[in-house]
Amino acid sequence: ETAVTYLGDVWGQNIDGEGQKDAYPVFSDAKVYRAKNCMDQPYGYSNTEGKPLGHSYENGFCTLCDGYESAAGSGTETDPYQIGTLEELILFRDSVNAGETRYNAAGVYVALTANIDMAGIDWSVNIGDDCNATFDGIFNGNNKTVGDFKVTTQEGHAGLFGNARAIIKDLTVVNVTIVANHYAGAIVGQGYVKMNNCHANNIDITLSTKDGDWGDKAGGLVGQNCEGANMYITNSTAKNVKIQGYRDLGGIAGMAHSGNKVTGCSVEN
């Protein structure tokens, strides 16, 4: 909670109360209180005792602590969480990986609002980089493009999403380089995915073997779509995909398990 200190009756000024604001201190008006920020330091003033002034955000991140700003929206179908910048994509990733239910609960809606150039960022810590913290909602790409990132890991689950139990639609991912052991795809490394109208272009995946195994399950879109009668990849494309590995490699998916449907898709080099 934000602490405040009353400065006395000698200082009055309407700063954030109702009615006309005072440009300067006056002898008779609303009492002024000194507040503290998220680091318990004096930070600003208010007419409301106990009003939190809190964080100082810049590009979504607090300049004073490790806090970050919530995305716009409420996570419903009609008011999805909105991601329109790289900073907001990073905040979304970190929230999912921290297990915050506002972003990774089943039925949560997230939507891109703009193309995002990731400018060659190291995305080795990806969205859902732990099997115990996956994105389980609905991700609407809104026919936007996310591009230009790299993933380097000694393990697997490599892609924009490492692990996902999600519906992903209307998304294009371009210019991706992945170096991993297994479970690698431009959009999803491994998961239980329902995907429609998604596209990957200029994807380079290199898998290494370990103890005579691994080097497996890499695809242009999805590394491995796990077993399930309701899982599907439809109306999607992969272009200019290069994969080096040992086994279970494919243009759309490295492995689509029993019960999966892959329809209306194409691969082109």
Side-chain angles (χ1 to χ4, degrees):
E1 295 182 359
T2 301
V4 295
T5 302
Y6 174 48
L7 299 184
D9 291 332
V10 294
W11 183 9
Q13 185 178 359
N14 187 355
I15 297 174
D16 56 7
E18 296 181 358
Q20 185 175 353
K21 306 300 185 288
D22 298 319
Y24 305 99
V26 295
F27 285 105
S28 60
D29 211 325
K31 297 178 181 179
V32 173
Y33 297 87
R34 186 72 179 270
K36 293 184 178 181
N37 62 22
C38 56
M39 299 297 289
D40 200 34
Q41 300 166 336
Y43 185 75
Y45 304 92
S46 174
N47 296 125
T48 303
E49 185 175 8
K51 180 178 179 179
L53 297 181
H55 301 280
S56 174
Y57 291 117
E58 183 176 321
N59 294 324
F61 296 89
C62 182
T63 60
L64 304 171
C65 71
D66 294 330
Y68 46 81
E69 215 167 7
S70 297
S74 59
T76 66
E77 184 174 7
T78 56
D79 185 31
Y81 291 123
Q82 299 173 31
I83 298 174
T85 66
L86 176 57
E87 290 79 13
E88 290 171 344
L89 186 64
I90 292 172
L91 297 178
F92 169 63
R93 176 198 67 185
D94 292 348
S95 296
V96 170
N97 293 348
E100 296 184 18
T101 55
R102 61 175 174 166
Y103 286 141
N104 67 359
V108 169
Y109 285 80
V110 177
L112 287 183
T113 60
N115 298 325
I116 298 178
D117 181 357
M118 299 175 71
I121 191 173
D122 184 346
W123 198 247
S124 298
V125 178
N126 49 30
I127 304 166
D129 69 336
D130 188 316
C131 292
N132 296 316
T134 64
F135 175 65
D136 296 350
I138 297 91
F139 191 92
N140 182 358
N142 269 330
N143 296 308
K144 306 299 183 184
T145 298
V146 175
D148 196 10
F149 65 90
K150 59 184 179 181
V151 178
T152 303
T153 174
Q154 296 300 313
E155 302 297 331
H157 309 103
L160 182 65
F161 294 83
N163 295 276
R165 296 172 176 264
I167 296 173
I168 301 175
K169 62 181 182 178
D170 303 335
L171 174 66
T172 297
V173 174
V174 300
N175 303 332
V176 178
T177 301
I178 297 174
V179 177
N181 285 336
H182 59 174
Y183 302 140
I187 298 180
V188 179
Q190 182 187 38
Y192 295 82
V193 178
K194 300 175 181 178
M195 182 177 289
N196 182 61
N197 191 35
C198 289
H199 311 279
N201 191 1
N202 195 24
I203 311 301
D204 191 329
I205 301 174
T206 302
L207 301 181
S208 59
T209 59
K210 181 178 180 180
D211 299 327
D213 199 2
W214 290 18
D216 62 315
K217 300 177 180 63
L221 297 175
V222 179
Q224 175 174 257
N225 208 8
C226 297
E227 186 171 355
N230 295 322
M231 302 303 111
Y232 58 79
I233 304 173
T234 58
N235 306 314
S236 298
T237 64
K239 295 182 180 181
N240 303 312
V241 175
K242 178 183 177 182
I243 301 175
Q244 299 181 62
Y246 171 44
R247 58 184 172 87
D248 303 331
L249 314 174
I252 296 294
M255 176 173 284
H257 269 277
S258 174
N260 276 223
K261 295 179 180 179
V262 180
T263 60
C265 297
S266 65
V267 178
E268 178 184 342
N269 283 323

